[in-house]
Amino acid sequence: MDKSELTRIYCARPQNFSWFLGAGASSSAGLPTANAILWDLKRQYYCSQENQEILRHDIENDAIQTRIQTFMESRGFPSQFDDNEYSTYFEKIFGNSKERQRAYLKKILSEDHVSLSVGSRVIGALMLSEHIRTIFTTNFDSVLEKAYAELGCLSLSPFHLEGARSSIHALNNEEFPIYVKLHGDFRYENLKNLASDLQGQNQDLSQCLINASNRSGLIVVGYSGRDTSIMNLFRRTLDSENPFPHGLFWTGIEKKPMKPQISELLELARSKDVNAEYVMIETFDALMLRLWRNIEDKPSHMDAQVRKTAVSQVSISLPPHGNSSPIIRMNALPVLSTPQKCFKLSLRSPMTWRQLWEIQRLNPGKLIFTKMHSEIWCWGMKKHIKQVFSDNLISMTSNEIPLIFSDDTHLIIRRFFRDAICEAFIHNKPLISRVTRSKKAFLIVDESPNDNGVLSPLINTIGGPIFGYVPNVPVDDQHPNSKPVQWAEAVQVSLDIKNETLWILLNPCIWIWPPRARKLSVDFIQSRCRNRYNHTFNDILNAWVKIILGTDAKNMTVKISAYNEGSDVENPSFCVGSRTAYSKKTT
């Protein structure tokens, strides 16, 4: 759904909607998002273990993030974007101490850091003017309380884990506005941060959300959907008698892909005849100001308080190209051309991401999928598509792929391209491709004896075996019986856009199978990677480039395709430059 349509629906009857706010709704007021808090916890743990000093603002550097994340995963921490990542770091750093958690959150979420943005002021104004009656949030902070007090000189008392039962009474008695903090308030005793806390939600606060959602629609803003217990609460609401009678509208930032768990929830809602839509917005502030502009009966004095700031365009020019030594080699190959077309599938029964991944798993090397909102895009031979979908397939039509530099949904297309590139890289080679739960893609050396010399560049560079079994893997409490653990040389593949060019990033690494044994194989991984400094790493990167492109020429254009045959709609092809990017000193 377009944001303009959401504006029309909401502004016609704003009292018909409750709101659900995540950390993204507070970030514009100067407070950290859940992801920023997570990186701060990682920074603290890394510095304490490695005796390093890294300042908070330094964590924005990609190289520092990579160093810290690699260290964490080598110590058995969850991979980035894992569902348990947030709670695991809180447990490691604070243990079970609620007091230490509260002290940390009080410091990082202090009102001293809050600078009310236009979005926060609009929320406060809508509550004061009774256009917003009920708000639910996973946030601990006091941004909304401050906005409510600043605009109306009134106090807003949220319902939280202490006194949760009162929220239901307030809703039943229509004591609006009702503001519910599902995970607690850092100023009080009870908080939800640890895995044991987040396994479920407070029954009374949950029932309050379900009751409210049986009376009104729901607009979700600034929430990523990563908390399993919250998503389960939404599913419980869909199982209630009258879920979201005025619709469920989930907003997400433009140019960021919709997460699978959100897509699956919206599809489930539609199956229960709920008007469920995903709405792309610029920012939280932009959405709230758009809604405020289109509310007709807003008080003029409150309108003046809301519009305290104005947005202006800022243009910062790029620095000039460097032309002096030293030259720094990058691990990025340029993509010089990309596919223009794919299939768009029309199905009788809609399919979830999980179902598509299962189809792809059961048909390795035959089909590549993505979902563009409710549409399914696909590469593969027509005969394979017809065979897999059978009677569920209504039609398959040629679909133009928009330019990823200008399309709002280019991140979805980027992952689509990445999967096709990985398929092209392993085609007819002793390599296998794997995508982890965190959606990272890897090319892994296969144990197949049919090498035919393809892997010799890597074998010669490493100077030893490139796959095998990890010796002396210790056992742990969860896995008390020792089982064989395999390892193999691998390379992580990702795509990025810089200076309007698509780049393939290659990061050589060690693959461990099964994945849960990675934390038990830390010593082995470190022993293999201990001496991979600049010169050695450069040679390993050269070896991987020669393997996947089939050439070690420094400035060639190589065409790669996912399959041996097929039209341009069936078989995605890319032209890739064989020389990696480099950087020269500017002065």
Side-chain angles (χ1 to χ4, degrees):
M1 174 184 283
D2 184 79
K3 50 184 174 287
S4 299
E5 180 64 17
L6 175 62
T7 302
R8 287 191 290 270
I9 292 173
Y10 175 76
C11 292
R13 291 294 300 274
Q15 294 86 355
N16 285 350
F17 295 92
S18 297
W19 288 71
F20 191 98
L21 305 181
S26 294
S27 62
S28 61
L31 293 182
T33 62
N35 188 60
I37 292 176
L38 188 56
W39 275 110
D40 189 56
L41 294 175
K42 293 178 185 180
R43 178 188 66 85
Q44 288 191 28
Y45 187 86
Y46 175 82
C47 290
S48 65
Q49 294 293 311
E50 293 293 283
N51 192 26
Q52 298 285 320
E53 181 182 12
I54 298 176
L55 302 179
R56 275 197 174 95
H57 61 266
D58 291 335
I59 203 66
E60 298 297 328
N61 186 297
D62 289 343
I64 291 178
Q65 285 192 3
T66 300
R67 187 207 315 171
I68 293 177
Q69 186 63 38
T70 302
F71 171 84
M72 292 300 183
E73 291 184 21
S74 74
R75 294 297 188 272
F77 280 80
S79 59
Q80 195 173 1
F81 307 120
D82 187 276
D83 290 342
N84 298 319
E85 194 179 16
Y86 186 83
S87 57
T88 299
Y89 282 96
F90 263 89
E91 288 173 352
K92 286 286 188 181
I93 292 178
F94 302 111
N96 293 319
S97 173
K98 301 286 187 181
E99 182 57 38
R100 290 178 61 203
Q101 290 183 53
R102 189 164 58 253
Y104 170 76
L105 291 172
K106 183 177 181 180
K107 180 179 179 181
I108 202 168
L109 301 177
S110 170
E111 282 193 9
D112 295 339
H113 303 315
V114 174
S115 177
L116 292 180
S117 67
V118 65
S120 303
R121 293 199 298 275
V122 169
I123 286 278
L126 290 173
M127 294 176 76
L128 287 161
S129 57
E130 299 184 1
H131 289 98
I132 291 182
R133 295 180 173 181
T134 310
I135 295 179
F136 297 87
T137 186
T138 53
N139 298 341
F140 302 121
D141 59 67
S142 57
V143 171
L144 287 197
E145 293 97 308
K146 185 172 182 178
Y148 194 84
E150 182 174 308
L151 272 75
C153 296
L154 297 171
S155 62
L156 175 66
S157 298
F159 297 96
H160 44 81
L161 297 175
E162 296 180 3
R165 183 67 184 171
S166 302
S167 63
I168 298 177
H169 293 304
L171 182 66
N172 292 338
N173 295 326
E174 298 187 352
E175 298 172 1
F176 304 123
I178 296 172
Y179 180 36
V180 178
K181 292 187 172 182
L182 295 167
H183 283 177
D185 190 313
F186 68 83
R187 294 167 295 185
Y188 296 90
E189 178 66 26
N190 289 324
L191 290 172
K192 277 183 175 286
N193 279 312
L194 306 182
S196 57
D197 299 329
L198 295 173
Q199 288 176 357
Q201 292 297 316
N202 176 276
Q203 186 60 38
D204 292 324
L205 299 183
S206 298
Q207 193 60 49
C208 183
L209 186 146
I210 293 172
N211 292 351
S213 299
N214 276 263
R215 305 178 186 184
S216 63
L218 186 69
I219 299 174
V220 182
V221 185
Y223 182 60
S224 65
R226 287 179 61 183
D227 189 335
T228 302
S229 64
I230 292 291
M231 299 304 285
N232 288 338
L233 177 55
F234 286 141
R235 295 186 185 96
R236 281 179 55 198
T237 304
L238 289 171
D239 289 334
S240 59
E241 293 183 0
N242 186 36
F244 309 114
H246 298 288
L248 171 61
F249 302 98
W250 197 300
T251 65
I253 300 299
E254 292 178 348
K255 301 184 180 180
K256 290 188 177 181
M258 176 170 45
K259 290 184 169 56
Q261 61 266 34
I262 299 174
S263 175
E264 291 175 8
L265 179 73
L266 296 179
E267 289 179 9
L268 177 63
R270 294 184 193 111
S271 71
K272 296 179 179 291
D273 297 325
V274 173
N275 180 18
E277 298 286 349
Y278 189 77
V279 186
M280 288 195 170
I281 62 174
E282 299 98 331
T283 63
F284 168 69
D285 286 344
L287 171 67
M288 299 314 302
L289 189 55
R290 172 186 286 269
L291 297 180
W292 182 254
R293 287 184 181 129
N294 288 274
I295 293 286
E296 293 187 355
D297 55 341
K298 50 184 176 283
S300 57
H301 71 281
M302 206 165 285
D303 186 45
Q305 288 182 286
V306 165
R307 300 172 185 264
K308 283 186 175 180
T309 59
V311 178
S312 59
Q313 294 290 332
V314 177
S315 178
I316 303 175
S317 59
L318 292 173
H321 292 294
N323 54 13
S324 60
S325 297
I327 298 176
I328 300 177
R329 186 191 187 186
M330 307 296 183
N331 61 332
L333 295 172
V335 179
L336 306 176
S337 70
T338 59
Q340 304 295 309
K341 298 178 181 178
C342 67
F343 284 119
K344 181 168 66 175
L345 307 184
S346 176
L347 304 179
R348 289 183 172 84
S349 299
M351 303 192 78
T352 65
W353 268 109
R354 196 176 302 278
Q355 290 172 313
L356 293 176
W357 288 331
E358 183 65 13
I359 289 174
Q360 199 162 319
R361 186 185 69 82
L362 295 175
N363 298 273
K366 292 183 177 181
L367 299 173
I368 302 167
F369 295 108
T370 193
K371 288 188 72 174
M372 187 65 67
H373 308 310
S374 59
E375 297 178 355
I376 296 177
W377 292 5
C378 176
W379 280 309
M381 301 300 107
K382 287 184 178 180
K383 59 182 179 181
H384 293 148
I385 297 174
K386 291 178 179 178
Q387 180 182 359
V388 165
F389 289 97
S390 187
D391 294 339
N392 193 30
L393 180 65
I394 298 175
S395 66
M396 64 176 91
T397 56
S398 178
N399 178 65
E400 295 288 336
I401 301 176
L403 290 174
I404 60 174
F405 308 124
S406 58
D407 189 70
D408 290 341
T409 53
H410 73 273
L411 290 180
I412 298 176
I413 300 173
R414 208 158 80 188
R415 184 173 293 174
F416 194 34
F417 281 178
R418 184 203 64 186
D419 292 347
I421 286 171
C422 286
E423 195 62 45
F425 279 163
I426 69 172
H427 192 56
N428 296 328
K429 300 184 185 76
L431 300 172
I432 56 177
S433 176
R434 291 289 182 268
V435 177
T436 65
R437 287 183 60 192
S438 58
K439 305 301 179 289
K440 294 179 180 179
F442 294 85
L443 308 183
I444 308 159
V445 168
D446 194 3
E447 295 186 32
S448 170
N450 301 320
D451 182 349
N452 298 325
V454 174
L455 299 177
S456 58
L458 190 60
I459 295 172
N460 295 336
T461 300
I462 299 295
I466 56 175
F467 59 81
Y469 289 90
V470 179
N472 304 319
V473 177
V475 298
D476 59 15
D477 293 338
Q478 292 182 324
H479 308 90
N481 299 319
S482 179
K483 294 183 179 180
V485 174
Q486 296 174 283
W487 69 271
E489 292 289 334
V491 62
Q492 182 182 347
V493 178
S494 57
L495 301 188
D496 201 358
I497 298 173
K498 298 294 182 185
N499 293 343
E500 297 189 348
T501 300
L502 184 65
W503 299 87
I504 303 172
L505 307 184
L506 303 174
N507 185 23
C509 57
I510 305 295
W511 179 262
I512 299 292
W513 185 263
R516 58 93 180 162
R518 188 172 187 85
K519 64 181 180 181
L520 303 176
S521 308
V522 171
D523 292 341
F524 174 81
I525 295 172
Q526 289 182 334
S527 67
R528 285 200 64 83
C529 299
R530 183 174 292 120
N531 298 319
R532 295 186 178 184
Y533 299 115
N534 288 351
H535 180 73
T536 304
F537 189 89
N538 183 71
D539 291 342
I540 293 174
L541 182 59
N542 282 336
W544 274 111
V545 170
K546 185 174 182 179
I547 290 170
I548 60 179
L549 294 184
T551 180
D552 55 0
K554 298 304 180 185
N555 198 15
M556 282 187 62
T557 298
V558 180
K559 184 177 181 179
I560 59 172
S561 300
Y563 312 119
N564 283 329
E565 57 181 349
S567 66
D568 58 346
V569 186
E570 296 174 302
N571 187 6
S573 296
F574 301 79
C575 286
V576 181
S578 64
R579 184 173 68 177
T580 61
Y582 62 91
S583 175
K584 288 184 177 181
K585 191 175 180 181
T586 56
T587 56

